[in-house]
């Protein structure tokens, strides 16, 4: 996910009980419901299909991803928090 964010690429992940609220509100990744483990592959395939069907939304996610990385996860930001 960090590599996708850093390079401004749309990333897809599942949205489940362990997903931090931050990711839901960031708009920097595409979340698809995870449901049952047995259905996860199908749900991810549907999520990928949805991404391909909406290029405008992919562009928006990619812009948010790059901005999100720069604001929250870039090495300069991380080092600033540690020092």
């Amino acid at each position: 996910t960090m590599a996708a964010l850093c390079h401004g690429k749309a990333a897809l992940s599942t949205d489940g009980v362990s997903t931090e609220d931050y990711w839901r509100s960031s708009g920097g990744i595409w979340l698809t419901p995870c449901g049952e483990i047995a259905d996860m592959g199908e749900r991810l395939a549907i999520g990928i299909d949805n991404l391909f069907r909406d290029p405008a939304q992919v562009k928006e996610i990619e812009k948010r991803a790059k901005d999100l990385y720069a604001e929250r996860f870039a090495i300069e930001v991380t080092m600033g928090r540690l020092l």
Side-chain angles (χ1 to χ4, degrees):
T1 301
M2 286 301 125
L5 293 175
C6 176
H7 294 284
K9 298 299 179 188
L12 172 70
S13 187
T14 54
D15 185 5
V17 296
S18 296
T19 303
E20 296 174 12
D21 287 333
Y22 177 77
W23 292 112
R24 291 185 186 106
S25 64
S26 73
I29 61 174
W30 184 291
L31 292 171
T32 189
C34 66
E36 299 296 321
I37 296 287
D39 299 331
M40 195 169 304
E42 181 179 344
R43 290 180 182 278
L44 286 171
I46 291 168
I48 291 167
D49 188 54
N50 287 338
L51 276 172
F52 283 121
R53 291 175 187 266
D54 195 345
Q57 189 164 10
V58 170
K59 290 292 183 198
E60 182 60 31
I61 290 171
E62 289 177 341
K63 181 190 179 319
R64 289 182 189 171
K66 193 163 187 130
D67 292 346
L68 176 64
Y69 184 84
E71 293 166 6
R72 185 156 177 139
F73 300 109
I75 190 67
E76 301 82 13
V77 174
T78 303
M79 291 303 296
R81 289 185 188 137
L82 294 173
L83 297 177

